[in-house]
Amino acid sequence: MTEQTPLLGGQVVISKPALQQLFDALRTAGYSLIGPTVREDAIVYDEIAQLTDIPIGWADEQAPGTYRLRRRDDQAHFGFVVGPHSWKRYLSPPSLRLFATRRTGDGFSVETSNDPPPRYAFIGVRACDLVAIAVQDRVFVEGPVQEPHYKARRERAFVLAVNCTEPGGTCFCASMRTGPRCSSGFDLALTELDDAFLCEVGSALGAQMLSAVEWRPAGAFELSRARQAMADALTRMGRGLNTHNLPELLYDNLEHPHWANVAERCLSCANCTMVCPTCFCSDVQETSDLVGETAARVRVWDSCFNREFSYVFGGHLRPNTRARYRQWLTHKLASWTDQYGVLGCVGCGRCITWCPVGIDLTQELAAIRGEGQL
Amino acid sequence: MADAVEIAYFVEARRQVLPGPYDVTLVEGSITTEEEIERIKEVRRQSGLLVTIGACATSGGIQALRNWADVGEFTRTVYASPEYIHTLDRSRPVSDFVPVDFELRGCPISKQQLVDLVTSLLIGRKPSVPEHAVCNECKRHGTVCVMVAQGIPCLGPATQAGCGAICPAYNRGCYGCFGPMELPNPAALGARFIAMGQTARDVSRAFRSFNGYSAAFRAASEQFEKDAIPR
Ligand code: SF4
Ligand code: SF4
Ligand code: SF4
Ligand code: SF4
């Protein structure tokens, strides 16, 4: 056990098995660990306890509309990228009971839960997802109105990030300038080397957690290997997106014939929005028992691809798929900037991989820009 | 449910039958005989709200497979005395004969949706019955998409949610029990199945099941059936 605490911003080296010591320290501190694990033929995020729960020796092969797990010929601990889940599942759960009511004589009482939300430690957050969390922070807590459920979960969360040395087939974070290296928003960030992890300390909390872990200061050799790995990763992006004047491009092309072309292929199935780490839309549903004694208000994930979502008195705003796909892309890559000052896309590629028909926003945008061919 | 609602006619559950008119009538089953056409018209006259429940009543059911075949041949094969069988040549949804106020889809229907419908009628709020794709339920549950991760054809992206996305959670593609979602695109989904290695005939059959006679699935199954014929 090392006695001193590493410096904020400093880099240390920990052995691969020593990651278990960090897991243990986090659990002792009251965190429930959420991290990558193999389930249902994919790498999902779920509760983990042991280092052996993470997909050691697994890789994912991703392309538009397909995802396949593959055994690696090494024992890389983080040799894969992002899967169908994102951290919003934990920060802004897909179904959340906001409050319940009970009839009391001639009135009613409101019951909200006073239980503190779980204290999550997110294990293996990638650079694109750190930025996605920062985007959702802008939406939920940094604007004029704060979303208390998100805020409580977010403030209590510990983030162990991982730099991507092997970008996936649908990744385009380099274009979006969001990755593959983690630049901020983490407590600790790992870069996986052949035989050890280089660990960057991003917060005082991260430094404190490292005090229960065996580590040594990073040497010049390790630092240069990590630098080289990140430089190589930049050249291995699965995809690219020209971000030049994106909002103008989209605002100028609201009637482009290509929207109708996408609509022929798009299923309006909402998968892209559900897997997107920045999409935040939800519906609020009321439930009640048959006699009207108790009722509850539940918030569930919703999508701009669902007609009910755009229902206003008198009709539906977006009756066809052309309007829905255009709304989605134009929001992500244009009006998001007007609303929140950042783009709504971080280049994680999930919407491309998890679209059942493999619609690829990078290609759709290229077509609208008049680049390349479809 | 028993206290808030009086059940007037449900011979499977209660022998007593109360005379109409009725506030709400739930209708199961498709229309397959001349007598049923007359009966459903009478039911409509006696009912404030007419709600069809289940794939049979809302789209003709699995027995609508005969709509693409010769019923006479079926009855001759199946029944010892086919002359006693009086049936229409098609199995059709209730809405082909009388106006329907609300549909509860599914084969079987979702108990939760039924309770929610009755509750909303009692309280006077909108029922929470979604019209969007099954995929929404997969994603909310965190089920990994079987189509993307395993290459299993799945009707979920064209099917209305409501079952809770049960089949994908058990490693199977959706069979389309809840019928077409709002704005389905079965042509694009079927084209994807073909790109994944299915034949046009497989795709035609996939759309032709419990809800095969619903407008959207019928059109798709007929189109892919045509595509299957070598030119
Ligand atoms: S988009 Fe970039 S940061 Fe995100 S998983 Fe892919 S390579 Fe890593
Ligand atoms: S739009 Fe697609 S690539 Fe961009 S952040 Fe969302 S899921 Fe990732
Ligand atoms: S782009 Fe793909 S995932 Fe998104 S709604 Fe259309 S078909 Fe579904
Ligand atoms: S498994 Fe089927 S229903 Fe579920 S998300 Fe995939 S395509 Fe949609």
Side-chain angles (χ1 to χ4, degrees):
Chain A
M1 202 74 41
T2 322
E3 288 304 321
Q4 78 267 53
T5 306
L7 290 177
L8 190 61
Q11 308 244 27
V12 302
V13 171
I14 63 175
S15 74
K16 292 198 177 176
L19 197 52
Q20 181 66 49
Q21 297 168 3
L22 180 61
F23 285 10
D24 294 340
L26 286 164
R27 279 156 55 91
T28 307
Y31 287 100
S32 71
L33 269 58
I34 307 293
T37 193
V38 173
R39 199 182 79 201
E40 300 169 45
D41 293 274
I43 295 169
V44 299
Y45 298 142
D46 209 337
E47 201 148 339
I48 56 171
Q50 306 298 328
L51 197 49
T52 48
D53 292 338
I54 72 169
I56 298 173
W58 285 100
D60 47 4
E61 280 174 1
Q62 304 196 32
T66 80
Y67 178 103
R68 291 293 181 276
L69 281 183
R70 164 177 73 76
R71 276 276 176 204
R72 301 174 59 94
D73 43 25
D74 62 17
Q75 290 296 302
H77 286 41
F78 293 97
F80 48 88
V81 288
V82 296
H85 290 176
S86 77
W87 309 99
K88 78 175 180 184
R89 164 164 296 278
Y90 296 93
L91 293 173
S92 184
S95 174
L96 183 68
R97 199 166 94 154
L98 300 175
F99 61 79
T101 60
R102 179 176 293 282
R103 201 186 282 280
T104 55
D106 48 4
F108 65 90
S109 65
V110 174
E111 296 153 18
T112 50
S113 158
N114 290 321
D115 304 341
R119 191 180 276 283
Y120 292 124
F122 295 145
I123 307 300
V125 183
R126 306 305 171 113
C128 55
D129 279 349
L130 288 176
V131 178
I133 293 171
V135 168
Q136 288 215 328
D137 287 349
R138 285 185 181 234
V139 174
F140 288 134
V141 292
E142 289 163 15
V145 182
Q146 295 197 333
E147 202 286 271
H149 306 280
Y150 177 92
K151 186 170 182 242
R153 286 170 168 72
R154 177 73 174 102
E155 282 172 351
R156 297 162 66 84
F158 181 93
V159 176
L160 173 66
V162 167
N163 288 317
C164 289
T165 49
E166 294 179 32
T170 55
C171 293
F172 58 103
C173 58
S175 302
M176 307 310 286
R177 291 166 202 86
T178 53
R181 189 177 185 289
C182 302
S183 50
S184 64
F186 54 83
D187 295 299
L188 294 172
L190 304 176
T191 308
E192 184 162 14
L193 306 173
D194 290 344
D195 45 3
F197 292 114
L198 185 69
C199 179
E200 182 178 345
V201 182
S203 74
L205 180 61
Q208 189 194 321
M209 287 299 156
L210 270 188
S211 61
V213 178
E214 287 167 51
W215 58 269
R216 60 178 169 79
F221 179 59
E222 283 125 356
L223 289 172
S224 99
R225 270 203 300 166
R227 238 190 331 266
Q228 189 55 47
M230 294 318 299
D232 291 348
L234 263 178
T235 66
R236 285 201 253 146
M237 283 290 144
R239 295 182 134 58
L241 178 72
N242 178 353
T243 56
H244 179 70
N245 280 349
L246 264 182
E248 292 77 0
L249 174 77
L250 286 159
Y251 289 142
D252 288 348
N253 283 292
L254 294 176
E255 299 304 328
H256 196 289
H258 191 71
W259 298 118
N261 173 302
V262 186
E264 274 177 30
R265 291 171 280 135
C266 172
L267 310 172
S268 240
C269 65
N271 276 302
C272 45
T273 53
M274 300 273 155
V275 295
C276 178
T278 68
C279 276
F280 51 74
C281 289
S282 59
D283 181 26
V284 173
Q285 296 175 349
E286 316 289 344
T287 63
S288 49
D289 66 12
L290 264 170
V291 285
E293 274 304 304
T294 57
R297 177 167 291 182
V298 183
R299 191 182 70 193
V300 296
W301 285 359
D302 203 350
S303 167
C304 51
F305 282 94
N306 295 337
R307 178 172 71 163
E308 309 104 297
F309 182 71
S310 73
Y311 178 80
V312 289
F313 178 72
H316 297 92
L317 288 179
R318 289 183 282 273
N320 53 50
T321 303
R322 174 183 176 272
R324 293 180 202 172
Y325 191 87
R326 181 179 65 183
Q327 154 64 27
W328 182 60
L329 212 62
T330 309
H331 191 209
K332 301 248 81 142
L333 296 167
S335 50
W336 208 293
T337 355
D338 305 333
Q339 276 178 295
Y340 308 112
V342 287
L343 290 175
C345 173
V346 298
C348 73
R350 285 183 178 92
C351 57
I352 305 172
T353 300
W354 297 98
C355 169
V357 288
I359 291 175
D360 173 351
L361 82 169
T362 66
Q363 290 212 30
E364 307 309 337
L365 271 163
I368 286 179
R369 207 186 270 282
E371 287 170 349
Q373 355 164 274
L374 273 181
Chain B
M1 206 186 275
D3 280 351
V5 180
E6 185 166 27
I7 297 177
Y9 183 101
F10 185 13
V11 281
E12 284 90 339
R14 189 168 188 250
R15 204 168 313 143
Q16 190 190 359
V17 171
L18 304 179
Y22 311 110
D23 294 325
V24 181
T25 304
L26 307 176
V27 179
E28 279 188 318
S30 63
I31 306 293
T32 59
T33 64
E34 291 291 349
E35 296 75 46
E36 282 165 356
I37 300 180
E38 290 320 307
R39 194 149 160 243
I40 195 64
K41 288 182 180 159
E42 182 53 26
V43 167
R44 176 71 272 187
R45 275 192 287 275
Q46 297 274 351
S47 310
L49 284 176
L50 194 156
V51 180
T52 48
I53 65 173
C56 299
T58 55
S59 79
I62 192 74
Q63 60 276 23
L65 278 179
R66 73 183 193 205
N67 299 1
W68 288 278
D70 176 357
V71 179
E73 204 182 308
F74 280 2
T75 40
R76 282 190 296 278
T77 316
V78 175
Y79 295 99
S81 312
E83 61 280 13
Y84 293 123
I85 306 297
H86 297 285
T87 184
L88 299 170
D89 60 349
R90 289 199 180 327
S91 167
R92 290 162 68 182
V94 170
S95 59
D96 274 8
F97 301 94
V98 294
V100 169
D101 299 300
F102 199 77
E103 287 183 342
L104 281 187
R105 306 279 197 80
C107 184
I109 61 161
S110 135
K111 180 181 155 206
Q112 205 189 326
Q113 285 193 350
L114 178 63
V115 173
D116 186 73
L117 172 76
V118 177
T119 314
S120 7
L121 290 173
L122 285 172
I123 290 176
R125 65 166 163 80
K126 224 179 110 211
S128 344
V129 172
E131 55 179 23
H132 53 238
V134 175
C135 303
N136 288 263
E137 295 184 322
C138 271
K139 288 295 179 280
R140 287 182 199 133
H141 297 168
T143 302
V144 176
C145 178
V146 300
M147 193 133 145
V148 171
Q150 298 183 58
I152 299 174
C154 176
L155 288 186
T159 302
Q160 180 169 296
C163 63
I166 301 169
C167 292
Y170 288 94
N171 255 328
R172 286 176 193 183
C174 163
Y175 293 97
C177 307
F178 276 63
M181 65 188 276
E182 181 268 334
L183 205 62
N185 190 347
L189 184 60
R192 179 70 178 175
F193 292 171
I194 289 172
M196 286 161 56
Q198 293 241 300
T199 65
R201 182 168 305 279
D202 298 334
V203 179
S204 172
R205 286 207 185 118
F207 282 113
R208 201 171 284 181
S209 69
F210 317 102
N211 291 285
Y213 202 60
S214 63
F217 287 1
R218 184 187 349 164
S221 78
E222 288 173 358
Q223 184 55 51
F224 285 103
E225 186 173 50
K226 267 189 220 143
D227 294 350
I229 299 166
R231 259 161 286 192

